[in-house]
């Protein structure tokens, strides 16, 4: 009852938006849920969205929380690029930022506060720098004055603010242990250390930040794996059971962590490391049943994956496996070819049927039994109709033959043949009689 009361009261902090929103929205910053009344995922998000409304109001945030029925106001939803339900967007001036993270209250609130704030947040003191470092696992910092690099940094921040924070600081604010080869510079602080952007080695700044916005080692889930697809990296995962404390499960996890830490300079440009709890998601992704614990390397760009050809016993074995992938000697499985797409369709259909029957056998029998029953009746009707037609035709032929036997007259051809036959017989008789008369006359 208490939860129901809180959720119901939370609805008062979420505004129902209509067509007037299009004209009035630029006066404020809006966090909007575009939903469809019939969408199950939208209904599941509704209590979370009410909690978001409460949290943003209690924090005194300038962000207003609203929701819009995208089916009733389809033109407005289409203008904002809504393609599915629910779609969460933060609207700030002329810009619209998509939210693609986990649909939890904390993650959504953190996204709103990050995007609603300034693109580049200044760090005026060492104390503030240390405070921000403790709060953020990954921290991008620009050091220096005005420069083309700073302009590029601001441009990248406007694009990637949906994923991470961007800060700026002067050289005297940076921790003493940091060594900068030159100024201006862009750095990332993560994994207990820092890395300086090098245009010649790291390429485009946007690509570098997109690759480095994750920690070296992650707890990978479906949302994280989806985001990792934008980095262009291969993802090396230890698929384990977090609740299983056996030696094998903990050993594979430790091996991945050691490679991510000790071989970062060798592999960080091409690989992301982490572990995944359970094999349900990975099985659906690979369309295969992986026995855990195991290690798999995913190429999210083309849906290929690599499995070790022998048991991974040590860090050296894992390093060798990664090198085999890089030099092309490891066998790639899966992919996005035609056969794999057909296999995916069959697998998804099979999974859907199995899940329906597991969750509700009666519903499964109705959904799949009714169409099969209708098709069976149609087939039976078609076959029966053909058989009756053949019997009717057969009886018609018999009747026609019987009528021929009962009638005195045959067909015109038969009558003609009989006339010709009679004419031939009479003609022969007349000839014989004529011969006798001629002999008598002689």
């Amino acid at each position: 009852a208490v939860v129901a009361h809180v959720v119901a009261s939370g609805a008062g902090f979420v505004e129902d938006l209509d067509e007037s929103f299009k004209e009035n929205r630029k006066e404020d910053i809006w966090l909007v849920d575009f939903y469809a009344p019939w969408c199950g995922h939208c209904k599941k998000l509704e209590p979370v969205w009410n909690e978001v409304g409460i949290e943003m109001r209690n924090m005194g945030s300038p962000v207003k929380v609203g929701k819009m029925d995208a089916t009733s106001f389809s033109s407005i939803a289409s203008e904002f690029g809504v393609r599915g339900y629910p779609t969460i967007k933060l609207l700030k001036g002329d810009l619209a930022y998509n939210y693609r993270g986990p649909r939890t209250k904390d993650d959504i609130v953190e996204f709103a506060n990050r995007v609603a704030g300034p693109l580049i947040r200044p760090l005026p003191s060492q104390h503030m720098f240390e405070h921000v470092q403790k709060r953020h696992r990954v921290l991008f910092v620009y050091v220096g004055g005005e420069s083309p690099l700073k302009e590029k940094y601001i441009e990248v921040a406007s694009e990637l603010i949906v994923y991470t924070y961007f800060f700026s600081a002067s050289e005297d604010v940076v921790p003493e242990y940091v060594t900068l080869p030159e100024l201006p510079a862009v750095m990332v602080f993560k994994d207990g250390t820092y890395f300086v952007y090098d245009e010649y080695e790291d390429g485009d700044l946007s690509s570098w930040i997109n690759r480095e916005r994750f920690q070296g080692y992650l707890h990978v889930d479906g949302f994280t794996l989806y985001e990792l697809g934008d980095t262009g990296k291969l993802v090396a995962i230890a698929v384990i059971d977090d609740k299983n404390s056996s030696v094998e499960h903990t050993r594979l996890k430790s091996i991945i962590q050691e490679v991510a830490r000790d071989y970062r300079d060798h592999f960080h440009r091409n690989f992301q490391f982490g572990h995944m709890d359970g094999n349900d998601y990975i099985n659906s992704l690979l369309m295969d049943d992986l026995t855990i614990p195991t290690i798999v390397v995913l190429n999210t760009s083309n849906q290929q994956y690599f499995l070790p050809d022998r048991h991974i016993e040590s860090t050296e074995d894992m390093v060798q496996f990664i090198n085999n992938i890089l030099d092309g000697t490891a066998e790639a499985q899966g992919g996005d070819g035609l056969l794999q797409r057909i296999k995916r369709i069959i697998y998804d259909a099979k999974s859907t049927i199995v899940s329906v029957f597991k969750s509700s056998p009666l519903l499964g029998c109705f959904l799949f039994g009714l169409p099969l029953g209708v098709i069976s009746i149609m087939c039976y009707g078609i076959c029966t109709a053909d058989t009756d037609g053949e019997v009717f035709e057969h009886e018609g032929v018999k009747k026609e033959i019987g009528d021929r036997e009962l009638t005195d007259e045959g067909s015109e051809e038969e009558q003609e043949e009989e006339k010709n036959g009679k004419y031939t017989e009479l003609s022969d008789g007349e000839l014989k009689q004529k011969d006798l008369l001629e002999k008598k006359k002689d």
Side-chain angles (χ1 to χ4, degrees):
V2 172
V3 172
H5 174 72
V6 171
V7 171
S9 62
F13 298 102
V14 177
E15 296 188 32
D16 283 307
L17 306 176
D18 54 25
E19 63 274 357
S20 62
F21 172 71
K22 181 179 178 180
E23 299 177 357
N24 302 329
R25 73 173 186 83
K26 291 186 179 181
E27 299 174 2
D28 300 291
I29 301 174
W30 283 92
L31 182 66
V32 182
D33 167 29
F34 293 91
Y35 71 95
W38 44 262
C39 172
H41 294 292
C42 300
K43 295 177 181 178
K44 186 176 180 180
L45 177 64
E46 184 176 2
V48 176
W49 199 248
N50 291 334
E51 292 177 3
V52 170
I54 295 174
E55 184 71 12
M56 299 301 287
R57 181 67 63 87
N58 291 341
M59 293 171 58
S61 172
V63 179
K64 292 187 175 182
V65 181
K67 61 180 181 178
M68 175 177 285
D69 183 350
T71 60
S72 299
F73 307 101
S74 57
S75 61
I76 298 178
S78 178
E79 184 177 333
F80 287 121
V82 176
R83 298 289 182 269
Y85 311 114
T87 294
I88 299 173
K89 288 179 177 285
L90 187 134
L91 308 176
K92 181 181 178 182
D94 294 326
L95 300 175
Y97 297 92
N98 289 327
Y99 175 72
R100 299 194 302 178
R103 289 166 185 164
T104 64
K105 183 200 72 173
D106 293 338
D107 287 299
I108 295 173
V109 169
E110 199 271 342
F111 162 81
N113 289 331
R114 180 174 67 248
V115 179
L119 285 177
I120 311 298
R121 300 167 188 251
L123 298 174
S125 64
Q126 289 186 352
H127 177 73
M128 179 62 71
F129 198 108
E130 294 173 359
H131 173 72
V132 169
Q133 266 192 295
K134 293 178 182 178
R135 290 190 57 190
H136 301 283
R137 296 176 179 177
V138 179
L139 185 70
F140 289 97
V141 182
Y142 173 85
V143 181
E146 299 297 326
S147 68
L149 181 60
K150 184 175 183 179
E151 293 178 3
K152 182 65 176 178
Y153 184 71
I154 295 173
E155 180 184 338
V156 174
S158 65
E159 175 188 356
L160 301 180
I161 189 67
V162 294
Y163 300 120
T164 188
Y165 287 89
F166 294 87
F167 297 88
S168 65
S170 59
E171 187 177 8
D172 58 340
V173 172
V174 176
E176 295 181 357
Y177 63 84
V178 174
T179 300
L180 295 175
E182 61 180 2
L183 292 177
V186 176
M187 298 181 295
V188 59
F189 292 83
K190 66 177 185 177
D191 302 329
T193 184
Y194 71 95
F195 307 97
V196 182
Y197 166 69
D198 187 329
E199 182 178 2
Y200 297 102
E201 291 187 4
D202 299 317
D204 180 65
L205 179 62
S206 177
S207 300
W208 179 76
I209 291 178
N210 197 34
R211 291 195 305 268
E212 297 293 339
R213 62 187 175 89
F214 295 98
Q215 291 177 278
Y217 182 87
L218 297 171
H219 181 183
V220 180
D221 56 16
F223 283 105
T224 307
L225 195 60
Y226 179 78
E227 288 191 16
L228 288 172
D230 296 335
T231 66
K233 291 184 178 182
L234 299 176
V235 186
I237 303 174
V239 185
I240 62 174
D241 182 359
D242 276 337
K243 297 179 181 178
N244 192 324
S245 58
S246 65
V247 175
E248 184 66 11
H249 286 257
T250 56
R251 185 177 61 82
L252 287 182
K253 183 178 178 180
S254 299
I255 288 175
I256 295 290
Q257 288 175 327
E258 290 175 9
V259 173
R261 181 185 67 245
D262 300 337
Y263 292 84
R264 184 193 184 280
D265 293 339
H266 296 84
F267 300 136
H268 81 279
R269 285 186 175 87
N270 300 302
F271 283 86
Q272 174 66 51
F273 298 93
H275 79 274
M276 179 174 285
D277 182 20
N279 61 350
D280 291 339
Y281 184 84
I282 203 73
N283 285 345
S284 64
L285 193 66
L286 306 185
M287 295 180 289
D288 197 1
D289 292 326
L290 292 182
T291 302
I292 58 174
T294 188
I295 287 177
V296 60
V297 176
L298 303 173
N299 186 339
T300 55
S301 63
N302 60 8
Q303 299 180 17
Q304 286 185 341
Y305 63 94
F306 302 85
L307 296 173
D309 55 359
R310 58 192 178 93
H311 197 60
I312 301 296
E313 296 287 349
S314 63
T315 303
E316 288 73 20
D317 291 339
M318 186 64 198
V319 171
Q320 182 61 47
F321 177 44
I322 293 175
N323 285 325
N324 291 341
I325 295 174
L326 291 175
D327 61 26
T329 57
E331 180 184 0
Q333 303 182 48
D336 54 1
L338 179 60
L339 292 178
Q340 285 298 121
R341 294 178 185 179
I342 295 174
K343 183 179 178 182
R344 167 62 63 185
I345 293 172
I346 297 173
Y347 180 86
D348 289 343
K350 179 181 176 182
S351 301
T352 301
I353 294 172
V354 171
S355 63
V356 169
F357 273 98
K358 282 185 177 180
S359 60
S360 179
L362 293 178
L363 179 61
C365 292
F366 176 77
L367 290 177
F368 298 104
L370 182 60
L372 291 176
V374 172
I375 293 173
S376 300
I377 293 173
M378 292 175 62
C379 293
Y380 176 77
I382 293 172
C383 295
T384 305
D386 289 342
T387 304
D388 292 344
E390 291 175 1
V391 172
F392 178 80
E393 182 179 355
H394 180 65
E395 290 179 350
V397 173
K398 289 175 64 179
K399 182 178 180 182
E400 183 179 351
I401 295 173
D403 291 342
R404 285 185 178 179
E405 293 176 349
L406 293 174
T407 185
D408 292 332
E409 297 180 357
S411 64
E412 293 180 0
E413 295 179 356
E414 291 173 346
Q415 292 178 17
E416 188 67 28
E417 290 176 359
E418 289 178 3
K419 288 179 181 179
N420 293 336
K422 289 178 181 180
Y423 178 79
T424 304
E425 289 177 345
L426 290 174
S427 298
D428 293 338
E430 289 176 355
L431 289 172
K432 290 179 181 180
Q433 187 176 7
K434 187 176 181 181
D435 291 338
L436 289 173
L437 290 172
E438 288 179 353
K439 287 181 180 180
K440 288 182 181 180
K441 189 181 290 187
D442 292 338

